[in-house]
Amino acid sequence: MKIKALLLSLLTISPFTSACAKIMAHDVYARATPPSAETSALFGHFMNHSDKDRYIVSAETKAAGKVELHDVIMDGEVMKMRQVEKIKIPANGSVTLKPGSLHIMLFNLEKPLAEGNTIPVKITFANGETQELEAPIKKVMSGMKHEHHH
Ligand SMILES: [Cu+2]
């Protein structure tokens, strides 16, 4: 009984219990690539459970030589990717990185991304916090479509 009580008190005073859950990453995944591709992208949903705006400022993975934060803009009728400095996760809100929109771009892939595998990803926020996660590799049908077909 005494040990249990001690453990419980350790848990409650841990400084990590509250700070950790402020940004929650959901369904982060990487786009599967054909064998010759050298680029891919990471998508996912980030929730901000704090009352301050938060920003993703960089990401890294050993699966890619270079990683950039990207947005997609309309240039006339052409969709173009452009690099952005940061991705905002609004206070008490969320941001979705998805095909045809914000994404984390992967360049110089070490090897093609095969569906079913995972890659380790480290995301850095503007306040210096980092979050590490394993992103599963999934097939993405098209970069520009938003509808779901069944
Ligand atoms: Cu891109």
PDB file of all heavy atoms in Angstrom, residues 40-75:
ATOM      1  N   SER A  40       8.178  13.070 -50.913  1.00  0.00           N
ATOM      2  CA  SER A  40       6.898  12.620 -50.367  1.00  0.00           C
ATOM      3  C   SER A  40       6.416  13.714 -49.418  1.00  0.00           C
ATOM      4  O   SER A  40       6.986  14.811 -49.396  1.00  0.00           O
ATOM      5  CB  SER A  40       7.066  11.281 -49.654  1.00  0.00           C
ATOM      6  OG  SER A  40       5.804  10.835 -49.178  1.00  0.00           O
ATOM      7  N   ALA A  41       5.368  13.420 -48.690  1.00  0.00           N
ATOM      8  CA  ALA A  41       4.848  14.429 -47.770  1.00  0.00           C
ATOM      9  C   ALA A  41       4.226  13.759 -46.558  1.00  0.00           C
ATOM     10  O   ALA A  41       3.809  12.593 -46.614  1.00  0.00           O
ATOM     11  CB  ALA A  41       3.813  15.307 -48.474  1.00  0.00           C
ATOM     12  N   LEU A  42       4.177  14.529 -45.473  1.00  0.00           N
ATOM     13  CA  LEU A  42       3.542  14.080 -44.232  1.00  0.00           C
ATOM     14  C   LEU A  42       2.265  14.871 -44.030  1.00  0.00           C
ATOM     15  O   LEU A  42       2.239  16.089 -44.243  1.00  0.00           O
ATOM     16  CB  LEU A  42       4.458  14.369 -43.052  1.00  0.00           C
ATOM     17  CG  LEU A  42       5.619  13.420 -42.762  1.00  0.00           C
ATOM     18  CD1 LEU A  42       6.559  14.076 -41.776  1.00  0.00           C
ATOM     19  CD2 LEU A  42       5.114  12.101 -42.213  1.00  0.00           C
ATOM     20  N   PHE A  43       1.237  14.188 -43.597  1.00  0.00           N
ATOM     21  CA  PHE A  43      -0.041  14.824 -43.308  1.00  0.00           C
ATOM     22  C   PHE A  43      -0.487  14.434 -41.904  1.00  0.00           C
ATOM     23  O   PHE A  43       0.041  13.492 -41.311  1.00  0.00           O
ATOM     24  CB  PHE A  43      -1.099  14.380 -44.323  1.00  0.00           C
ATOM     25  CG  PHE A  43      -0.678  14.561 -45.755  1.00  0.00           C
ATOM     26  CD1 PHE A  43      -0.340  13.466 -46.546  1.00  0.00           C
ATOM     27  CD2 PHE A  43      -0.606  15.829 -46.316  1.00  0.00           C
ATOM     28  CE1 PHE A  43       0.047  13.638 -47.870  1.00  0.00           C
ATOM     29  CE2 PHE A  43      -0.217  16.006 -47.640  1.00  0.00           C
ATOM     30  CZ  PHE A  43       0.107  14.907 -48.412  1.00  0.00           C
ATOM     31  N   GLY A  44      -1.494  15.126 -41.396  1.00  0.00           N
ATOM     32  CA  GLY A  44      -2.001  14.760 -40.078  1.00  0.00           C
ATOM     33  C   GLY A  44      -2.816  15.891 -39.483  1.00  0.00           C
ATOM     34  O   GLY A  44      -2.991  16.950 -40.086  1.00  0.00           O
ATOM     35  N   HIS A  45      -3.302  15.641 -38.279  1.00  0.00           N
ATOM     36  CA  HIS A  45      -4.203  16.574 -37.613  1.00  0.00           C
ATOM     37  C   HIS A  45      -3.564  16.953 -36.269  1.00  0.00           C
ATOM     38  O   HIS A  45      -3.197  16.072 -35.504  1.00  0.00           O
ATOM     39  CB  HIS A  45      -5.548  15.866 -37.399  1.00  0.00           C
ATOM     40  CG  HIS A  45      -6.620  16.760 -36.893  1.00  0.00           C
ATOM     41  ND1 HIS A  45      -7.117  17.806 -37.630  1.00  0.00           N
ATOM     42  CD2 HIS A  45      -7.285  16.765 -35.717  1.00  0.00           C
ATOM     43  CE1 HIS A  45      -8.061  18.414 -36.917  1.00  0.00           C
ATOM     44  NE2 HIS A  45      -8.181  17.804 -35.766  1.00  0.00           N
ATOM     45  N   PHE A  46      -3.429  18.247 -36.034  1.00  0.00           N
ATOM     46  CA  PHE A  46      -2.805  18.696 -34.788  1.00  0.00           C
ATOM     47  C   PHE A  46      -3.786  19.530 -33.991  1.00  0.00           C
ATOM     48  O   PHE A  46      -4.325  20.519 -34.496  1.00  0.00           O
ATOM     49  CB  PHE A  46      -1.548  19.521 -35.088  1.00  0.00           C
ATOM     50  CG  PHE A  46      -0.442  18.703 -35.697  1.00  0.00           C
ATOM     51  CD1 PHE A  46      -0.391  18.503 -37.069  1.00  0.00           C
ATOM     52  CD2 PHE A  46       0.521  18.111 -34.903  1.00  0.00           C
ATOM     53  CE1 PHE A  46       0.615  17.736 -37.639  1.00  0.00           C
ATOM     54  CE2 PHE A  46       1.524  17.347 -35.454  1.00  0.00           C
ATOM     55  CZ  PHE A  46       1.572  17.160 -36.824  1.00  0.00           C
ATOM     56  N   MET A  47      -4.026  19.131 -32.740  1.00  0.00           N
ATOM     57  CA  MET A  47      -4.958  19.849 -31.879  1.00  0.00           C
ATOM     58  C   MET A  47      -4.195  20.614 -30.802  1.00  0.00           C
ATOM     59  O   MET A  47      -3.247  20.098 -30.222  1.00  0.00           O
ATOM     60  CB  MET A  47      -5.925  18.869 -31.219  1.00  0.00           C
ATOM     61  CG  MET A  47      -6.866  18.220 -32.224  1.00  0.00           C
ATOM     62  SD  MET A  47      -7.765  16.856 -31.478  1.00  0.00           S
ATOM     63  CE  MET A  47      -8.814  17.772 -30.381  1.00  0.00           C
ATOM     64  N   ASN A  48      -4.635  21.831 -30.560  1.00  0.00           N
ATOM     65  CA  ASN A  48      -4.000  22.686 -29.557  1.00  0.00           C
ATOM     66  C   ASN A  48      -4.969  22.878 -28.387  1.00  0.00           C
ATOM     67  O   ASN A  48      -5.966  23.578 -28.507  1.00  0.00           O
ATOM     68  CB  ASN A  48      -3.661  24.027 -30.212  1.00  0.00           C
ATOM     69  CG  ASN A  48      -2.998  24.990 -29.264  1.00  0.00           C
ATOM     70  OD1 ASN A  48      -2.814  24.694 -28.084  1.00  0.00           O
ATOM     71  ND2 ASN A  48      -2.637  26.148 -29.781  1.00  0.00           N
ATOM     72  N   HIS A  49      -4.646  22.244 -27.262  1.00  0.00           N
ATOM     73  CA  HIS A  49      -5.525  22.329 -26.090  1.00  0.00           C
ATOM     74  C   HIS A  49      -5.069  23.410 -25.121  1.00  0.00           C
ATOM     75  O   HIS A  49      -5.285  23.299 -23.924  1.00  0.00           O
ATOM     76  CB  HIS A  49      -5.585  20.983 -25.375  1.00  0.00           C
ATOM     77  CG  HIS A  49      -6.270  19.935 -26.186  1.00  0.00           C
ATOM     78  ND1 HIS A  49      -7.598  19.977 -26.469  1.00  0.00           N
ATOM     79  CD2 HIS A  49      -5.789  18.832 -26.808  1.00  0.00           C
ATOM     80  CE1 HIS A  49      -7.915  18.925 -27.215  1.00  0.00           C
ATOM     81  NE2 HIS A  49      -6.835  18.226 -27.437  1.00  0.00           N
ATOM     82  N   SER A  50      -4.417  24.434 -25.646  1.00  0.00           N
ATOM     83  CA  SER A  50      -4.007  25.534 -24.768  1.00  0.00           C
ATOM     84  C   SER A  50      -4.671  26.816 -25.268  1.00  0.00           C
ATOM     85  O   SER A  50      -5.246  26.836 -26.357  1.00  0.00           O
ATOM     86  CB  SER A  50      -2.483  25.688 -24.792  1.00  0.00           C
ATOM     87  OG  SER A  50      -2.067  26.301 -25.995  1.00  0.00           O
ATOM     88  N   ASP A  51      -4.552  27.885 -24.468  1.00  0.00           N
ATOM     89  CA  ASP A  51      -5.178  29.128 -24.916  1.00  0.00           C
ATOM     90  C   ASP A  51      -4.176  30.062 -25.591  1.00  0.00           C
ATOM     91  O   ASP A  51      -4.373  31.270 -25.658  1.00  0.00           O
ATOM     92  CB  ASP A  51      -5.910  29.817 -23.758  1.00  0.00           C
ATOM     93  CG  ASP A  51      -5.040  29.918 -22.529  1.00  0.00           C
ATOM     94  OD1 ASP A  51      -3.811  29.742 -22.669  1.00  0.00           O
ATOM     95  OD2 ASP A  51      -5.570  30.177 -21.444  1.00  0.00           O
ATOM     96  N   LYS A  52      -3.073  29.480 -26.089  1.00  0.00           N
ATOM     97  CA  LYS A  52      -2.105  30.263 -26.865  1.00  0.00           C
ATOM     98  C   LYS A  52      -1.941  29.640 -28.242  1.00  0.00           C
ATOM     99  O   LYS A  52      -1.908  28.415 -28.371  1.00  0.00           O
ATOM    100  CB  LYS A  52      -0.736  30.244 -26.170  1.00  0.00           C
ATOM    101  CG  LYS A  52      -0.637  31.214 -25.019  1.00  0.00           C
ATOM    102  CD  LYS A  52       0.827  31.396 -24.612  1.00  0.00           C
ATOM    103  CE  LYS A  52       0.921  32.261 -23.382  1.00  0.00           C
ATOM    104  NZ  LYS A  52       1.611  31.603 -22.279  1.00  0.00           N
ATOM    105  N   ASP A  53      -1.825  30.481 -29.264  1.00  0.00           N
ATOM    106  CA  ASP A  53      -1.514  29.963 -30.589  1.00  0.00           C
ATOM    107  C   ASP A  53      -0.158  29.263 -30.543  1.00  0.00           C
ATOM    108  O   ASP A  53       0.754  29.730 -29.881  1.00  0.00           O
ATOM    109  CB  ASP A  53      -1.432  31.110 -31.610  1.00  0.00           C
ATOM    110  CG  ASP A  53      -2.786  31.721 -31.885  1.00  0.00           C
ATOM    111  OD1 ASP A  53      -3.799  31.087 -31.562  1.00  0.00           O
ATOM    112  OD2 ASP A  53      -2.815  32.837 -32.431  1.00  0.00           O
ATOM    113  N   ARG A  54      -0.060  28.156 -31.246  1.00  0.00           N
ATOM    114  CA  ARG A  54       1.213  27.435 -31.305  1.00  0.00           C
ATOM    115  C   ARG A  54       1.609  27.276 -32.757  1.00  0.00           C
ATOM    116  O   ARG A  54       0.762  27.309 -33.646  1.00  0.00           O
ATOM    117  CB  ARG A  54       1.077  26.072 -30.621  1.00  0.00           C
ATOM    118  CG  ARG A  54       0.745  26.155 -29.125  1.00  0.00           C
ATOM    119  CD  ARG A  54       1.957  26.519 -28.297  1.00  0.00           C
ATOM    120  NE  ARG A  54       3.029  25.581 -28.554  1.00  0.00           N
ATOM    121  CZ  ARG A  54       3.197  24.448 -27.867  1.00  0.00           C
ATOM    122  NH1 ARG A  54       2.414  24.139 -26.883  1.00  0.00           N
ATOM    123  NH2 ARG A  54       4.202  23.639 -28.164  1.00  0.00           N
ATOM    124  N   TYR A  55       2.913  27.096 -32.983  1.00  0.00           N
ATOM    125  CA  TYR A  55       3.408  27.020 -34.357  1.00  0.00           C
ATOM    126  C   TYR A  55       4.359  25.846 -34.512  1.00  0.00           C
ATOM    127  O   TYR A  55       5.266  25.664 -33.697  1.00  0.00           O
ATOM    128  CB  TYR A  55       4.148  28.300 -34.737  1.00  0.00           C
ATOM    129  CG  TYR A  55       3.267  29.524 -34.716  1.00  0.00           C
ATOM    130  CD1 TYR A  55       3.100  30.262 -33.552  1.00  0.00           C
ATOM    131  CD2 TYR A  55       2.581  29.923 -35.867  1.00  0.00           C
ATOM    132  CE1 TYR A  55       2.277  31.371 -33.521  1.00  0.00           C
ATOM    133  CE2 TYR A  55       1.761  31.032 -35.839  1.00  0.00           C
ATOM    134  CZ  TYR A  55       1.608  31.760 -34.668  1.00  0.00           C
ATOM    135  OH  TYR A  55       0.791  32.859 -34.644  1.00  0.00           O
ATOM    136  N   ILE A  56       4.155  25.090 -35.582  1.00  0.00           N
ATOM    137  CA  ILE A  56       5.151  24.106 -35.992  1.00  0.00           C
ATOM    138  C   ILE A  56       6.195  24.881 -36.792  1.00  0.00           C
ATOM    139  O   ILE A  56       5.841  25.599 -37.743  1.00  0.00           O
ATOM    140  CB  ILE A  56       4.524  23.019 -36.884  1.00  0.00           C
ATOM    141  CG1 ILE A  56       3.480  22.223 -36.100  1.00  0.00           C
ATOM    142  CG2 ILE A  56       5.604  22.095 -37.451  1.00  0.00           C
ATOM    143  CD1 ILE A  56       2.668  21.266 -36.982  1.00  0.00           C
ATOM    144  N   VAL A  57       7.455  24.806 -36.407  1.00  0.00           N
ATOM    145  CA  VAL A  57       8.477  25.566 -37.137  1.00  0.00           C
ATOM    146  C   VAL A  57       9.413  24.672 -37.954  1.00  0.00           C
ATOM    147  O   VAL A  57      10.057  25.141 -38.889  1.00  0.00           O
ATOM    148  CB  VAL A  57       9.313  26.470 -36.200  1.00  0.00           C
ATOM    149  CG1 VAL A  57       8.448  27.603 -35.663  1.00  0.00           C
ATOM    150  CG2 VAL A  57       9.947  25.687 -35.072  1.00  0.00           C
ATOM    151  N   SER A  58       9.495  23.399 -37.607  1.00  0.00           N
ATOM    152  CA  SER A  58      10.312  22.501 -38.422  1.00  0.00           C
ATOM    153  C   SER A  58       9.978  21.065 -38.093  1.00  0.00           C
ATOM    154  O   SER A  58       9.322  20.769 -37.095  1.00  0.00           O
ATOM    155  CB  SER A  58      11.810  22.758 -38.198  1.00  0.00           C
ATOM    156  OG  SER A  58      12.169  22.413 -36.887  1.00  0.00           O
ATOM    157  N   ALA A  59      10.441  20.192 -38.977  1.00  0.00           N
ATOM    158  CA  ALA A  59      10.258  18.767 -38.755  1.00  0.00           C
ATOM    159  C   ALA A  59      11.467  18.057 -39.332  1.00  0.00           C
ATOM    160  O   ALA A  59      12.141  18.580 -40.221  1.00  0.00           O
ATOM    161  CB  ALA A  59       8.980  18.274 -39.430  1.00  0.00           C
ATOM    162  N   GLU A  60      11.766  16.902 -38.803  1.00  0.00           N
ATOM    163  CA  GLU A  60      12.859  16.131 -39.368  1.00  0.00           C
ATOM    164  C   GLU A  60      12.552  14.644 -39.295  1.00  0.00           C
ATOM    165  O   GLU A  60      11.772  14.190 -38.455  1.00  0.00           O
ATOM    166  CB  GLU A  60      14.180  16.438 -38.666  1.00  0.00           C
ATOM    167  CG  GLU A  60      14.149  16.285 -37.160  1.00  0.00           C
ATOM    168  CD  GLU A  60      15.425  16.825 -36.515  1.00  0.00           C
ATOM    169  OE1 GLU A  60      16.463  16.153 -36.643  1.00  0.00           O
ATOM    170  OE2 GLU A  60      15.368  17.905 -35.910  1.00  0.00           O
ATOM    171  N   THR A  61      13.138  13.908 -40.221  1.00  0.00           N
ATOM    172  CA  THR A  61      13.033  12.453 -40.220  1.00  0.00           C
ATOM    173  C   THR A  61      14.274  11.905 -40.891  1.00  0.00           C
ATOM    174  O   THR A  61      14.783  12.510 -41.843  1.00  0.00           O
ATOM    175  CB  THR A  61      11.781  11.960 -40.962  1.00  0.00           C
ATOM    176  OG1 THR A  61      11.878  10.537 -41.111  1.00  0.00           O
ATOM    177  CG2 THR A  61      11.644  12.589 -42.337  1.00  0.00           C
ATOM    178  N   LYS A  62      14.742  10.775 -40.384  1.00  0.00           N
ATOM    179  CA  LYS A  62      15.929  10.208 -41.006  1.00  0.00           C
ATOM    180  C   LYS A  62      15.592   9.595 -42.375  1.00  0.00           C
ATOM    181  O   LYS A  62      16.480   9.229 -43.124  1.00  0.00           O
ATOM    182  CB  LYS A  62      16.572   9.178 -40.088  1.00  0.00           C
ATOM    183  CG  LYS A  62      15.712   7.964 -39.829  1.00  0.00           C
ATOM    184  CD  LYS A  62      16.438   6.966 -38.947  1.00  0.00           C
ATOM    185  CE  LYS A  62      15.616   5.695 -38.854  1.00  0.00           C
ATOM    186  NZ  LYS A  62      15.935   4.870 -37.708  1.00  0.00           N
ATOM    187  N   ALA A  63      14.301   9.523 -42.706  1.00  0.00           N
ATOM    188  CA  ALA A  63      13.898   8.950 -43.992  1.00  0.00           C
ATOM    189  C   ALA A  63      14.113   9.929 -45.146  1.00  0.00           C
ATOM    190  O   ALA A  63      14.086   9.536 -46.304  1.00  0.00           O
ATOM    191  CB  ALA A  63      12.425   8.533 -43.943  1.00  0.00           C
ATOM    192  N   ALA A  64      14.322  11.218 -44.831  1.00  0.00           N
ATOM    193  CA  ALA A  64      14.469  12.229 -45.887  1.00  0.00           C
ATOM    194  C   ALA A  64      15.666  13.119 -45.598  1.00  0.00           C
ATOM    195  O   ALA A  64      15.941  13.472 -44.456  1.00  0.00           O
ATOM    196  CB  ALA A  64      13.205  13.084 -45.967  1.00  0.00           C
ATOM    197  N   GLY A  65      16.363  13.514 -46.674  1.00  0.00           N
ATOM    198  CA  GLY A  65      17.545  14.359 -46.518  1.00  0.00           C
ATOM    199  C   GLY A  65      17.184  15.781 -46.171  1.00  0.00           C
ATOM    200  O   GLY A  65      17.946  16.502 -45.525  1.00  0.00           O
ATOM    201  N   LYS A  66      16.008  16.218 -46.649  1.00  0.00           N
ATOM    202  CA  LYS A  66      15.588  17.591 -46.392  1.00  0.00           C
ATOM    203  C   LYS A  66      14.090  17.618 -46.130  1.00  0.00           C
ATOM    204  O   LYS A  66      13.327  16.911 -46.778  1.00  0.00           O
ATOM    205  CB  LYS A  66      15.916  18.467 -47.615  1.00  0.00           C
ATOM    206  CG  LYS A  66      15.676  19.946 -47.369  1.00  0.00           C
ATOM    207  CD  LYS A  66      16.273  20.816 -48.496  1.00  0.00           C
ATOM    208  CE  LYS A  66      15.393  20.789 -49.719  1.00  0.00           C
ATOM    209  NZ  LYS A  66      15.546  21.971 -50.588  1.00  0.00           N
ATOM    210  N   VAL A  67      13.661  18.429 -45.169  1.00  0.00           N
ATOM    211  CA  VAL A  67      12.241  18.533 -44.826  1.00  0.00           C
ATOM    212  C   VAL A  67      11.850  20.007 -44.810  1.00  0.00           C
ATOM    213  O   VAL A  67      12.572  20.834 -44.256  1.00  0.00           O
ATOM    214  CB  VAL A  67      11.954  17.900 -43.443  1.00  0.00           C
ATOM    215  CG1 VAL A  67      10.464  17.965 -43.112  1.00  0.00           C
ATOM    216  CG2 VAL A  67      12.440  16.456 -43.401  1.00  0.00           C
ATOM    217  N   GLU A  68      10.731  20.338 -45.457  1.00  0.00           N
ATOM    218  CA  GLU A  68      10.238  21.721 -45.457  1.00  0.00           C
ATOM    219  C   GLU A  68       8.760  21.740 -45.110  1.00  0.00           C
ATOM    220  O   GLU A  68       8.042  20.781 -45.366  1.00  0.00           O
ATOM    221  CB  GLU A  68      10.403  22.353 -46.851  1.00  0.00           C
ATOM    222  CG  GLU A  68      11.834  22.681 -47.220  1.00  0.00           C
ATOM    223  CD  GLU A  68      11.941  23.301 -48.610  1.00  0.00           C
ATOM    224  OE1 GLU A  68      10.899  23.512 -49.264  1.00  0.00           O
ATOM    225  OE2 GLU A  68      13.058  23.559 -49.045  1.00  0.00           O
ATOM    226  N   LEU A  69       8.316  22.857 -44.543  1.00  0.00           N
ATOM    227  CA  LEU A  69       6.886  23.064 -44.317  1.00  0.00           C
ATOM    228  C   LEU A  69       6.320  23.719 -45.570  1.00  0.00           C
ATOM    229  O   LEU A  69       6.877  24.694 -46.059  1.00  0.00           O
ATOM    230  CB  LEU A  69       6.661  23.971 -43.103  1.00  0.00           C
ATOM    231  CG  LEU A  69       7.359  23.544 -41.806  1.00  0.00           C
ATOM    232  CD1 LEU A  69       7.087  24.559 -40.703  1.00  0.00           C
ATOM    233  CD2 LEU A  69       6.908  22.161 -41.370  1.00  0.00           C
ATOM    234  N   HIS A  70       5.224  23.187 -46.090  1.00  0.00           N
ATOM    235  CA  HIS A  70       4.660  23.680 -47.350  1.00  0.00           C
ATOM    236  C   HIS A  70       3.182  24.015 -47.225  1.00  0.00           C
ATOM    237  O   HIS A  70       2.464  23.412 -46.439  1.00  0.00           O
ATOM    238  CB  HIS A  70       4.790  22.615 -48.443  1.00  0.00           C
ATOM    239  CG  HIS A  70       6.115  22.624 -49.134  1.00  0.00           C
ATOM    240  ND1 HIS A  70       6.334  21.949 -50.302  1.00  0.00           N
ATOM    241  CD2 HIS A  70       7.285  23.224 -48.822  1.00  0.00           C
ATOM    242  CE1 HIS A  70       7.593  22.134 -50.681  1.00  0.00           C
ATOM    243  NE2 HIS A  70       8.193  22.896 -49.798  1.00  0.00           N
ATOM    244  N   ASP A  71       2.779  24.952 -48.064  1.00  0.00           N
ATOM    245  CA  ASP A  71       1.362  25.217 -48.265  1.00  0.00           C
ATOM    246  C   ASP A  71       1.092  25.089 -49.763  1.00  0.00           C
ATOM    247  O   ASP A  71       2.022  25.042 -50.561  1.00  0.00           O
ATOM    248  CB  ASP A  71       1.027  26.631 -47.765  1.00  0.00           C
ATOM    249  CG  ASP A  71      -0.471  26.820 -47.577  1.00  0.00           C
ATOM    250  OD1 ASP A  71      -1.232  25.867 -47.840  1.00  0.00           O
ATOM    251  OD2 ASP A  71      -0.869  27.918 -47.173  1.00  0.00           O
ATOM    252  N   VAL A  72      -0.163  25.033 -50.135  1.00  0.00           N
ATOM    253  CA  VAL A  72      -0.532  24.986 -51.556  1.00  0.00           C
ATOM    254  C   VAL A  72      -1.356  26.232 -51.852  1.00  0.00           C
ATOM    255  O   VAL A  72      -2.300  26.548 -51.125  1.00  0.00           O
ATOM    256  CB  VAL A  72      -1.344  23.709 -51.881  1.00  0.00           C
ATOM    257  CG1 VAL A  72      -1.860  23.755 -53.315  1.00  0.00           C
ATOM    258  CG2 VAL A  72      -0.492  22.479 -51.661  1.00  0.00           C
ATOM    259  N   ILE A  73      -0.957  26.970 -52.881  1.00  0.00           N
ATOM    260  CA  ILE A  73      -1.692  28.178 -53.253  1.00  0.00           C
ATOM    261  C   ILE A  73      -2.186  28.052 -54.684  1.00  0.00           C
ATOM    262  O   ILE A  73      -1.641  27.290 -55.481  1.00  0.00           O
ATOM    263  CB  ILE A  73      -0.821  29.452 -53.114  1.00  0.00           C
ATOM    264  CG1 ILE A  73       0.498  29.273 -53.877  1.00  0.00           C
ATOM    265  CG2 ILE A  73      -0.553  29.764 -51.652  1.00  0.00           C
ATOM    266  CD1 ILE A  73       1.201  30.576 -54.174  1.00  0.00           C
ATOM    267  N   MET A  74      -3.230  28.799 -55.007  1.00  0.00           N
ATOM    268  CA  MET A  74      -3.733  28.836 -56.371  1.00  0.00           C
ATOM    269  C   MET A  74      -3.031  29.960 -57.119  1.00  0.00           C
ATOM    270  O   MET A  74      -3.038  31.106 -56.693  1.00  0.00           O
ATOM    271  CB  MET A  74      -5.241  29.096 -56.389  1.00  0.00           C
ATOM    272  CG  MET A  74      -6.073  27.931 -55.881  1.00  0.00           C
ATOM    273  SD  MET A  74      -5.795  26.382 -56.757  1.00  0.00           S
ATOM    274  CE  MET A  74      -6.490  26.810 -58.374  1.00  0.00           C
ATOM    275  N   ASP A  75      -2.408  29.619 -58.248  1.00  0.00           N
ATOM    276  CA  ASP A  75      -1.792  30.611 -59.104  1.00  0.00           C
ATOM    277  C   ASP A  75      -2.588  30.572 -60.402  1.00  0.00           C
ATOM    278  O   ASP A  75      -2.343  29.748 -61.259  1.00  0.00           O
ATOM    279  CB  ASP A  75      -0.317  30.259 -59.323  1.00  0.00           C
ATOM    280  CG  ASP A  75       0.394  31.323 -60.144  1.00  0.00           C
ATOM    281  OD1 ASP A  75      -0.236  32.358 -60.458  1.00  0.00           O
ATOM    282  OD2 ASP A  75       1.576  31.120 -60.477  1.00  0.00           O
TER     283      ASP A  75
END
